[in-house]
């Protein structure tokens, strides 16, 4: 799903919720997933001007979950360790930040190359 303008964020959140409901994810875990997704899509829009998000329903054994992959071609993150520290922001925002987002999901992977962009993949298990 392409995120190219602010108006794309509401349909994106709805698609994430639909995927979570489809696998029978409870309301608490849905809220954690949608909150994490909202933070990441806002960051992608704010710092990279948008990008692409892949929404997938995945399974491992009897467990199912929703995996979201955020891909942008923005400026990248120069210092990943600093970006993952609580309270760090280059945008003077009061958002969760990357560390807060990581705490809301079961799996969190961040790859970034300065001048090429950033890819963040999160996974929230149905019962996790």
């Amino acid at each position: 799903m392409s995120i190219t303008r602010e108006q794309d964020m509401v349909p994106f959140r709805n698609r994430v919720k639909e995927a979570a409901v489809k696998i029978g994810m409870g309301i608490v875990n849905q809220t954690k997933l949608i909150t994490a997704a909202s933070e990441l899509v806002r960051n992608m829009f704010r710092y990279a001007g948008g990008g692409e998000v892949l929404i997938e329903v995945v399974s491992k054994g009897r467990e199912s979950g929703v995996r979201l992959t955020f891909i942008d071609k923005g400026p990248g993150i120069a210092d990943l360790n600093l970006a993952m520290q609580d309270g760090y922001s280059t945008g003077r925002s009061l958002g969760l930040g990357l560390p807060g987002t990581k705490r809301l999901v079961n799996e969190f992977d961040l790859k970034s190359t300065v001048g090429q962009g950033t890819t963040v993949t999160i996974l929230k298990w149905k019962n996790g």
Side-chain angles (χ1 to χ4, degrees):
M1 175 173 191
S2 289
I3 305 294
T4 56
R5 52 202 182 115
E6 206 162 339
Q7 293 86 342
D8 294 334
M9 292 186 208
V10 170
F12 162 71
R13 284 193 294 266
N14 291 339
R15 295 261 311 272
V16 172
K17 181 173 177 61
E18 288 167 13
V21 168
K22 179 179 173 182
I23 64 167
M25 186 179 284
I27 191 71
V28 171
N29 284 334
Q30 283 181 41
T31 302
K32 289 178 180 180
L33 175 64
I34 293 165
T35 301
S38 296
E39 179 73 12
L40 292 172
V41 79
R42 247 191 326 269
N43 282 354
M44 186 173 74
F45 185 75
R46 180 183 299 136
Y47 298 111
E52 296 289 324
V53 184
L54 182 61
I55 303 170
E56 302 170 279
V57 171
V58 298
S59 59
K60 182 168 72 175
R62 298 176 69 166
E63 181 69 292
S64 55
V66 177
R67 179 170 51 211
L68 306 175
T69 305
F70 300 79
I71 304 161
D72 72 54
K73 303 294 182 203
I77 301 169
D79 189 336
L80 292 178
N81 290 328
L82 184 59
M84 290 305 297
Q85 289 181 10
D86 281 319
Y88 176 76
S89 174
T90 58
R92 295 188 300 269
S93 78
L94 296 174
L96 288 172
L98 295 172
T101 301
K102 181 178 181 178
R103 286 190 290 272
L104 292 173
V105 297
N106 301 107
E107 296 179 23
F108 180 97
D109 182 64
L110 170 64
K111 292 180 175 57
S112 189
T113 303
V114 173
Q116 293 183 19
T118 301
T119 299
V120 181
T121 304
I122 63 172
L123 175 63
K124 184 70 178 166
W125 293 111
K126 172 183 169 182
N127 297 313

